[in-house]
Amino acid sequence: MEENSLNLPVEIVVIGGSAGSLEVLFKLLPLLRPDLSLSIIIILHRRNSGDSSLAELLSTKTTLPLNEVEDKDAILPGYIYLAPSDYHLLIEKDYTFSLDYSEKINFSRPSIDVTFESAADIYGSSMAGIILSGANEDGTKGLKAIKNAGGITIAQNPDTAQMPLMPQHAISHVGIESVLTVREIAGFINGL
């Protein structure tokens, strides 16, 4: 398992994206090893409907179990978790999720920053944060928190993003460690 600068194994990968990221996930998820032992959390901006069919759709792209998070769900290794629409997704000290309905951040709920910062507080240097395509600045502040906690920061190569603003903003404002294509992101995760 790849280790970060503090030699701690990566326990979770948190992926944030907005416009153009669904296509990235459709390409990324089938490339992931079926025997991953870490947890993956996906924060995807989407409409505020109660429709949870996105989790079903994404689960067709991977052999790993993929669930939309419910309040108090435990974070288990080898699982992919999708933040539900219209809630901020937080991680608690007992490694469970909590859902929060406070005000939108960066016009978004779920906010990528909120989950990234929450994960950084709990997992510190044993996590990685990945920002994908999108058209606003959500995720930059959260990636700073991950970096400050000693975690690994990655941005989708803006040249490969349908909406390059989100990864480019993170690259410009955070000392991103790696700027990768979708295939390279899959290779990174599979190497953990």
Side-chain angles (χ1 to χ4, degrees), residues 28 31-32 130 154-157 160 178-191:
L28 175 66
L31 298 174
L32 297 179
I130 301 173
I154 294 171
Q156 180 185 357
N157 185 328
T160 69
S178 299
V179 178
L180 305 176
T181 65
V182 175
R183 186 165 289 279
E184 290 169 335
I185 291 170
F188 166 78
I189 295 172
N190 287 333

Side-chain angles (χ1 to χ4, degrees), residues 77-147:
Y79 279 75
I80 301 174
Y81 298 96
L82 175 68
S85 66
D86 212 23
Y87 288 96
H88 295 305
L89 182 64
L90 300 164
I91 297 172
E92 301 295 331
K93 290 180 181 176
D94 62 356
Y95 303 99
T96 62
F97 291 108
S98 65
L99 302 180
D100 179 271
Y101 193 70
S102 59
E103 67 184 67
K104 293 182 178 181
I105 297 175
N106 293 315
F107 311 103
S108 304
R109 189 174 50 222
S111 161
I112 299 166
D113 280 338
V114 166
T115 304
F116 278 8
E117 289 174 326
S118 176
D121 284 345
I122 302 302
Y123 286 94
S125 59
S126 62
M127 70 168 295
I130 301 173
I131 193 79
L132 303 178
S133 174
N136 71 21
E137 300 172 359
D138 196 19
T140 295
K141 189 175 171 189
L143 283 173
K144 283 182 184 174
I146 293 170
K147 184 173 182 67

Side-chain angles (χ1 to χ4, degrees), residues 4-166:
N4 57 21
S5 60
L6 296 178
N7 296 323
L8 295 174
V10 172
E11 296 178 53
I12 65 163
V13 174
V14 185
I15 300 172
S18 188
S21 289
L22 189 57
E23 292 80 2
V24 175
L25 293 170
F26 284 169
K27 295 176 185 172
L28 175 66
L29 293 179
L31 298 174
L32 297 179
R33 285 186 5 233
D35 61 343
L36 284 177
S37 60
L38 51 79
S39 305
I40 297 174
I41 301 167
I42 298 171
I43 312 300
L44 192 63
H45 292 168
R46 55 186 163 143
R47 294 174 194 243
N48 296 340
S49 72
D51 182 9
S52 60
S53 61
L54 180 60
E56 294 174 24
L57 181 62
L58 288 173
S59 68
T60 66
K61 303 294 181 185
T62 179
T63 55
L64 293 161
L66 188 151
N67 301 316
E68 186 171 85
V69 173
E70 293 188 17
D71 198 40
K72 307 304 179 198
D73 277 352
I75 301 172
L76 302 173
Y79 279 75
I80 301 174
Y81 298 96
L82 175 68
S85 66
D86 212 23
Y87 288 96
H88 295 305
L89 182 64
L90 300 164
I91 297 172
E92 301 295 331
K93 290 180 181 176
D94 62 356
Y95 303 99
T96 62
F97 291 108
S98 65
L99 302 180
D100 179 271
Y101 193 70
S102 59
E103 67 184 67
K104 293 182 178 181
I105 297 175
N106 293 315
F107 311 103
S108 304
R109 189 174 50 222
S111 161
I112 299 166
D113 280 338
V114 166
T115 304
F116 278 8
E117 289 174 326
S118 176
D121 284 345
I122 302 302
Y123 286 94
S125 59
S126 62
M127 70 168 295
I130 301 173
I131 193 79
L132 303 178
S133 174
N136 71 21
E137 300 172 359
D138 196 19
T140 295
K141 189 175 171 189
L143 283 173
K144 283 182 184 174
I146 293 170
K147 184 173 182 67
N148 289 340
I152 298 168
T153 54
I154 294 171
Q156 180 185 357
N157 185 328
D159 292 341
T160 69
Q162 183 178 340
M163 296 290 179
L165 181 95
M166 188 178 282

